Amino acid sequence: MEKEILPEALHKAIEHISKLPGYGEKSAQKFVENLLKLPKGESIDTIRALLDMLNKINPCKECGLLTEHEICNICSDENRDKSIICVVEESFDAFAIEKTGKFKGVYHVLHGRLSPLEGITEKDLNIPSLVKRAEKATEIIIATNPTIEGEATSTYIYNLLKNKDIEISRIAYGLPFGASLENADTFTLSKALEGKRRI
Amino acid sequence: MEKEILPEALHKAIEHISKLPGYGEKSAQKFVENLLKLPKGESIDTIRALLDMLNKINPCKECGLLTEHEICNICSDENRDKSIICVVEESFDAFAIEKTGKFKGVYHVLHGRLSPLEGITEKDLNIPSLVKRAEKATEIIIATNPTIEGEATSTYIYNLLKNKDIEISRIAYGLPFGASLENADTFTLSKALEGKRRI
């Protein structure tokens, strides 16, 4: 939308939002339009919540997980097994795993994945501190996403750590619960067959 | 995502964004995740732009269009023909029409459409001031969206104004049924304006 047609403050807000990954001009416009439609108190509260988040949330100094503290609740929890490290691409991946309640170790957040196409190399990822943390670990579970980039990242980390005395595993590939075999892609089905376990 | 897993400030931000129309928990999560990934300066600037917008933008006292002033640039422009009023559902519909450069009258923003299913009645729309403004008008172009609700709103306004000495027309169907005015391309919008018909 041309600058001269929209009021300046509206134009600027749309411009900022449209720079977020996944947003274009139209979706940014929809976002601010919806925000403006909220009762004034609610919209201000929403912005305050975002500002509060930006001010309070930072990566844990130990594992990189988004937290309000210097060291996250998981790293500072004495009941978590510090010798088992689960490596994830993003904090929300760790939060998703937490939701299962099945993992009692700690995390390591890479803040991304290797992606030559996007120009993301190992230098852009939280890898040096993983190598350091791995010294004290007995087990590393690599839980990067099951994508080309996630696999490449997993292989890179495996090669970095394979000569150390650590058990390194990769989160299992298979059919997602509720999926239909008929519609699964060949790669997933092959992996599901390879990973078969006795019942 | 459970409250106890996410840091409080993160949870609150997601909760607020997920209340926006069109957002769910996952899309709200993606929004804050992307915001947190921006360099700190940029994310703060984004929030400032939103706050600035909320503080500065309000509906024009005359026509309801989003503006930074008490009276919008269009209503206060002496070159615009105040006797021709184009009735739209939302401000962004008017901005889209402005982009065609084909309309030299003024607007009237309803801030919505009649929608019994959503419980939106004529009392929720900016209609009383339209009736008042119509006293001084010679022509009303109803440019509500070409949807069931937009048509119902158009008919309602037509019935309100039909006994006055005003030419009332409906924006032409150059638009596919079910489309949104806001997202229409400039050419289609121009054609729709040119093809307006008396009701």
Side-chain angles (χ1 to χ4, degrees):
Chain A
M1 187 80 54
E2 273 83 30
K3 199 175 170 176
E4 57 272 28
I5 290 173
L6 290 181
E8 175 75 4
L10 197 56
H11 173 76
K12 275 206 175 161
I14 293 172
E15 200 177 45
H16 273 284
I17 295 295
S18 67
K19 280 181 193 154
L20 285 175
Y23 278 76
E25 198 194 281
K26 283 286 171 194
S27 47
Q29 187 176 302
K30 207 73 212 161
F31 178 83
V32 302
E33 203 178 345
N34 284 330
L35 193 62
L36 282 164
K37 271 195 199 168
L38 289 181
K40 196 82 169 190
E42 272 180 50
S43 57
I44 294 279
D45 282 353
T46 299
I47 300 305
R48 280 215 192 104
L50 291 175
L51 196 60
D52 197 50
M53 172 189 80
L54 290 177
N55 286 331
K56 286 186 183 166
I57 301 290
N58 51 263
C60 167
K61 288 238 164 92
E62 185 70 22
C63 73
L65 193 70
L66 294 173
T67 176
E68 289 183 5
H69 312 287
E70 194 157 328
I71 302 295
C72 76
N73 288 340
I74 294 169
C75 284
S76 58
D77 183 344
E78 289 184 2
N79 295 316
R80 305 292 293 232
D81 187 345
K82 308 288 188 300
S83 68
I84 309 176
I85 301 175
C86 178
V87 180
V88 291
E89 294 180 16
E90 304 291 354
S91 291
F92 281 93
D93 299 333
F95 296 141
I97 294 174
E98 277 302 282
K99 216 175 156 182
T100 70
K102 296 274 182 188
F103 180 65
K104 295 299 169 202
V106 292
Y107 293 96
H108 189 88
V109 184
L110 298 172
H111 300 303
R113 66 218 60 80
L114 294 177
S115 174
L117 281 176
E118 296 171 79
I120 301 170
T121 69
E122 64 279 7
K123 289 190 188 75
D124 302 304
L125 302 181
N126 184 23
I127 285 178
S129 74
L130 172 63
V131 178
K132 210 173 157 196
R133 290 180 79 200
E135 307 278 345
K136 290 180 197 161
T138 58
E139 189 181 346
I140 303 268
I141 303 167
I142 307 179
T144 52
N145 280 324
T147 57
I148 309 240
E149 289 88 355
E151 277 305 300
T153 311
S154 168
T155 306
Y156 180 84
I157 291 170
Y158 173 72
N159 286 330
L160 266 186
L161 305 176
K162 69 180 173 190
N163 294 327
K164 298 184 194 278
D165 186 23
I166 313 170
E167 192 185 315
I168 307 175
S169 57
R170 175 86 175 101
I171 200 167
Y173 267 120
L175 292 165
F177 191 77
S180 110
L181 215 82
E182 184 184 324
N183 297 324
D185 64 276
T186 315
F187 185 76
T188 304
L189 262 184
S190 308
K191 287 289 179 186
L193 277 169
E194 274 171 39
K196 72 191 155 85
R197 292 177 306 121
R198 277 190 92 117
I199 298 175
Chain B
M1 188 83 51
E2 273 82 31
K3 198 176 171 176
E4 57 271 26
I5 291 172
L6 290 180
E8 176 74 5
L10 197 56
H11 173 77
K12 275 203 173 164
I14 293 172
E15 200 177 45
H16 274 283
I17 295 296
S18 67
K19 279 180 193 156
L20 286 174
Y23 278 76
E25 197 193 283
K26 283 285 170 197
S27 47
Q29 186 177 301
K30 208 75 211 158
F31 178 83
V32 302
E33 203 178 345
N34 284 329
L35 194 63
L36 282 164
K37 271 195 196 167
L38 289 182
K40 196 83 170 189
E42 272 179 50
S43 58
I44 294 280
D45 282 352
T46 299
I47 298 307
R48 279 214 192 104
L50 291 174
L51 196 60
D52 197 49
M53 173 190 80
L54 289 177
N55 285 332
K56 285 186 183 165
I57 300 290
N58 51 261
C60 167
K61 288 241 164 92
E62 186 69 21
C63 72
L65 193 70
L66 294 173
T67 176
E68 289 184 4
H69 312 286
E70 195 157 327
I71 302 294
C72 76
N73 288 339
I74 294 168
C75 285
S76 58
D77 184 343
E78 288 182 3
N79 294 317
R80 305 292 293 231
D81 187 345
K82 307 291 187 302
S83 68
I84 309 175
I85 300 176
C86 179
V87 180
V88 291
E89 295 179 17
E90 303 290 355
S91 291
F92 281 93
D93 299 333
F95 296 141
I97 292 174
E98 277 302 282
K99 216 175 155 183
T100 70
K102 297 269 183 187
F103 181 66
K104 294 300 169 201
V106 291
Y107 294 95
H108 189 89
V109 184
L110 298 172
H111 299 304
R113 65 219 62 79
L114 294 178
S115 174
L117 281 177
E118 296 171 78
I120 300 170
T121 70
E122 64 279 8
K123 291 192 186 74
D124 302 304
L125 302 181
N126 184 23
I127 285 178
S129 74
L130 172 62
V131 178
K132 210 174 157 194
R133 290 180 78 200
E135 306 279 345
K136 291 180 196 159
T138 57
E139 189 182 348
I140 303 269
I141 302 166
I142 307 179
T144 52
N145 278 323
T147 58
I148 308 240
E149 289 89 354
E151 278 304 302
T153 311
S154 169
T155 305
Y156 179 84
I157 290 169
Y158 173 71
N159 286 330
L160 265 186
L161 305 176
K162 67 180 173 191
N163 294 327
K164 296 183 195 281
D165 186 23
I166 314 170
E167 192 185 315
I168 307 175
S169 56
R170 176 84 175 101
I171 198 166
Y173 272 111
L175 300 160
F177 194 77
S180 124
L181 210 87
E182 182 182 324
N183 295 324
D185 65 278
T186 309
F187 182 76
T188 306
L189 263 180
S190 304
K191 284 292 166 195
L193 273 169
E194 281 168 20
K196 71 189 158 81
R197 294 172 301 119
R198 274 193 93 117
I199 299 178

